[in-house]
Amino acid sequence: VNCAAISRELYESEFFGHAKGAFTGALRDRAGRFELADGGTLFLDEIGEIPLDLQAKLLRVLQEGELERIGEDRTRTVDVRLIAATNRDLRNEVSEARFRQDLFYRLNVFPIEIAPLRERREDIPLLAEHFLARNARQLGRKRLRLTPANVKRLQDYDWPGNVRELQHVIERAAIVATDGKLRFDLPLPSSAPDDQPPGAASSGPENAQRVYTAAEMREWEIANIRRALSAADGKVYGKHGAAERLGIKPTTLASRIKSLKITH
C-alpha cells in the first residue's frame, strides 16, 4: 500500500475495512488491508505520510493484533508481518511531533537504512548501464554507450531525487540521443566547500572560479573525515562522535569510511 496515494478520508477504511452502510457509498462489507494480509505480509510504503490521528489505531493493530471495521462493533484478530518504508527521517519527525514516538519504536524493530545515491556514487555507473539497457529494449533502439565523460558527469551530480531521478535522466537522454551520443541535462556541480581540497591554493582571484576534479574532491572528503575522527578521538558513534560532528548518521559515516578505505 502506498500510504501517500490514499486520501485522508479513506485511510481508516483502506486499512481496517468498513461495514455496509457505515458511511455514504458503503454499499457492502469490505475487508481492510490488514484483514486481507492476515497470515502474510503487508508492505506500507511512505509510512511517514500516515496522518497523526490514525497512527494510534495503526499502533493498536501492531501491538495487539486487533481491529474493528468502521461501523462494526466486532473485534477482529489478525496476524500480519509488517514491512514499512519511508524517505523521511522518522526520528526527526518524532522530535517535530509529526510522528508518534511509540509507533516509531514499534516499527523500528529491524531497520535497514539505504544511503542516498550521492553517498554511493560508485553505484551510479552500474545503475546507469542497467537503465540504458532497459530503455534500449523499450524504445527498440540499439543500446547507447556510456562514456567515461558521461560517468564523470553523472557522478559529479548530487542526485536529490536519488535513483528515480537518475532513471528519468537516463531515459530522457536516451530518447533525445540522435547521433548515438548521450547528453545529460544536469545542473553544474555545486561549489566547493569552504575548506579547499588538499593541494589547492587558499587565496587569489585566479582560484575564485576554480573547478575541482572528482579526485580532488574525494581527497578533500577523506581529509575532512579524518579531521572529524581525530577531533572525536576515533569515535564514530555517540555524542561528540565523528558522525555528529559531520552532521550525518553514524551508519552513513561507517559506509563512507569503508568505501573511501579510510584507516583510523
Side-chain angles (χ1 to χ4, degrees), residues 11 20 33 68 91 121-122 140 161 169 178 201 206 220 257:
Y11 265 107
K20 180 179 178 180
R33 296 286 184 152
E68 288 95 27
R91 290 185 184 276
R121 297 176 192 267
E122 65 277 6
V169 166
T178 56
E206 67 278 6
W220 177 87
I257 289 172

Side-chain angles (χ1 to χ4, degrees), residues 29-236:
D29 289 350
R30 181 181 184 275
R33 296 286 184 152
F34 277 93
E35 281 188 76
L36 294 173
D38 188 23
T41 301
L42 180 61
F43 173 43
L44 298 183
D45 196 13
E46 301 296 353
I47 197 168
E49 303 295 332
I50 294 180
L52 196 62
D53 55 346
L54 186 62
Q55 291 176 18
K57 296 183 178 182
L58 179 60
L59 179 65
R60 181 194 174 197
V61 178
L62 299 181
Q63 193 73 40
E64 308 295 338
E66 296 178 347
L67 59 84
E68 288 95 27
R69 294 180 181 178
I70 300 175
E72 187 178 80
D73 295 331
R74 175 187 169 190
T75 298
R76 300 171 184 265
T77 302
V78 293
D79 179 16
V80 177
R81 176 177 62 179
L82 188 70
I83 299 176
T86 180
N87 63 358
R88 295 190 181 191
D89 183 345
L90 289 187
R91 290 185 184 276
N92 183 62
E93 294 292 297
V94 169
S95 66
E96 297 292 334
R98 292 192 293 263
F99 200 85
R100 290 181 63 104
Q101 186 179 52
D102 46 6
L103 178 57
F104 168 72
Y105 286 117
R106 190 67 186 85
L107 292 168
N108 200 40
V109 176
F110 194 90
I112 301 175
E113 295 186 7
I114 306 299
L117 196 55
R118 64 181 175 274
E119 294 178 9
R120 48 190 175 99
R121 297 176 192 267
E122 65 277 6
D123 290 347
I124 291 175
L126 298 172
L127 289 166
E129 291 285 4
H130 166 71
F131 291 136
L132 277 175
R134 190 168 71 176
N135 288 332
R137 292 194 301 270
Q138 292 174 342
L139 298 173
R141 293 182 180 179
K142 182 179 178 181
R143 181 172 172 178
L144 298 168
R145 189 173 67 89
L146 199 65
T147 67
N150 292 150
V151 172
K152 183 178 185 305
R153 186 75 181 89
L154 294 174
Q155 289 183 318
D156 283 345
Y157 183 56
D158 281 341
W159 300 107
N162 288 306
V163 177
R164 286 190 183 95
E165 184 181 10
L166 173 63
Q167 178 182 350
H168 295 155
V169 166
I170 294 291
E171 183 177 1
R172 184 165 61 246
I175 291 172
V176 302
T178 56
D179 55 359
K181 295 181 180 179
L182 289 167
R183 296 177 179 84
F184 299 112
D185 181 21
L186 293 172
L188 293 173
S190 57
S191 57
D194 294 336
D195 191 4
Q196 294 182 340
S202 58
S203 61
E206 67 278 6
N207 293 303
Q209 300 298 323
R210 178 178 175 186
V211 176
Y212 299 104
T213 66
E216 287 175 326
M217 293 304 297
R218 182 183 176 89
E219 287 301 315
W220 177 87
E221 184 176 16
I222 290 172
N224 194 47
I225 290 175
R226 282 177 173 160
R227 283 194 294 271
L229 289 168
S230 176
D233 294 326
K235 184 172 71 170
V236 173

